[in-house]
Amino acid sequence: MKNGKIRTYGDCVAVITGGASGIGRAIAEELARRGAAEIIVADLQKDAAAETATAIRGLGGRATVVDLDVRDDDAVRQLATSTFERFGRVDYVFNNAGTGVMGETHLLQKREWDLLIDVNIRGVANVVRAFYPRLVEQSFGHMVNTASCAGLMCTPFLSVYSATKHAVVGLSKAMRVEATRFGVRVSALCPGAVRTPLLTGGAIGGSIYELTDEEKLAFWESMKPGEVTPFARDTLDAVAKNEGIIVFPKHNRTPLTLFRLLPRLEETIFGKLHAKTLRDFPAIASMIRRREKQN
Ligand SMILES: NC(=O)c1ccc[n+]([C@@H]2O[C@H](COP(=O)([O-])OP(=O)(O)OC[C@H]3O[C@@H](n4cnc5c(N)ncnc54)[C@H](O)[C@@H]3O)[C@@H](O)[C@H]2O)c1
């Protein structure tokens, strides 16, 4: 079934998991601005996904909403089957649904490990297994797996999240090399902090610390979060150029390069940041004491 080349954004068929909110929604809207033929917004937040679809239509695009939990392998396979049956092709898969839980490793419970691994690794894997072989079969298409800068460097308070995102980076890098001979593209999207609902927990994530939303945002503020709309614009430009590891906001690139060259510097800087956070956020310190007593 070799029926042509990947379409640039005008006239493309794109699937976006986690398209109801934040980065997924902003990418969906930007695709609509760039003339996408059909955008499939798949998310477990059905009402919010419908709002994304309304925004897409307002921008002159066409959208389908799919109620999807990426942890449900059968449902993800069903999404791939129905999308290929309906459109005969998929140009872009934004494998983007993800969640985060803030907490130090010794305090995280099994349920928090499971949530992160199930959504951020198993969910991503389900989407890869359902869509990628079909991209290989059609000999075109671009799979963009959302990882994180936390998949490229050290992130205390987010160790398990970071582990899941390192997994996504590793998967994407190997897939990218394998995919080349089929004419298929694979990229890892590695956002630094971006101002989205995830920073205060998102739909199903959160923090083991009893922080207010203001305190959570103050924690992220030190990482200079970028705004989501320009982030989506830059991301689609980089995807069009077929970049392998896509890092935005741009100010995250210099530290990443430095840390690669000087891993001790990474340890020192994050060691200081970790200690500062414990000093600056009494709610974290008191929660740690409470959890340590419970454990
Ligand atoms: N915002 C950031 O600073 C940041 C930084 C690095 C990486 N990321 C990654 O970007 C991606 C998008 O995050 P965001 O910031 O837009 O967060 P968000 O919370 O605004 O959006 C995430 C979306 O994924 C959906 N989702 C979560 N679990 C799901 C599941 N099991 N099945 C289907 N949908 C599910 C949520 O309902 C939500 O609509 C995530 O993979 C996240 O880890 C975000």
Side-chain angles (χ1 to χ4, degrees), residues 125 149 153 167 179 195 221 276:
C149 280
M153 67 182 180
R195 215 177 291 282
E221 215 47 58
K276 181 173 177 337

Side-chain angles (χ1 to χ4, degrees), residues 116-139:
L116 289 163
I117 291 169
D118 287 347
V119 177
N120 293 359
I121 300 183
R122 291 206 173 88
V124 165
N126 290 343
V127 174
V128 168
R129 273 199 312 277
F131 282 90
Y132 176 66
R134 292 174 187 261
L135 301 187
V136 167
E137 197 193 339
Q138 73 179 6
S139 295

Side-chain angles (χ1 to χ4, degrees), residues 234-248:
D234 289 340
T235 295
L236 287 193
D237 289 346
V239 169
K241 287 186 210 143
N242 190 21
E243 288 180 17
I245 304 278
I246 300 169
V247 176
F248 288 111

Side-chain angles (χ1 to χ4, degrees), residues 211-226:
L211 298 170
T212 62
D213 281 356
E214 287 70 30
E215 285 170 323
K216 287 179 197 157
L217 289 173
F219 170 82
W220 288 106
E221 215 47 58
S222 65
M223 288 162 223
K224 301 193 181 78

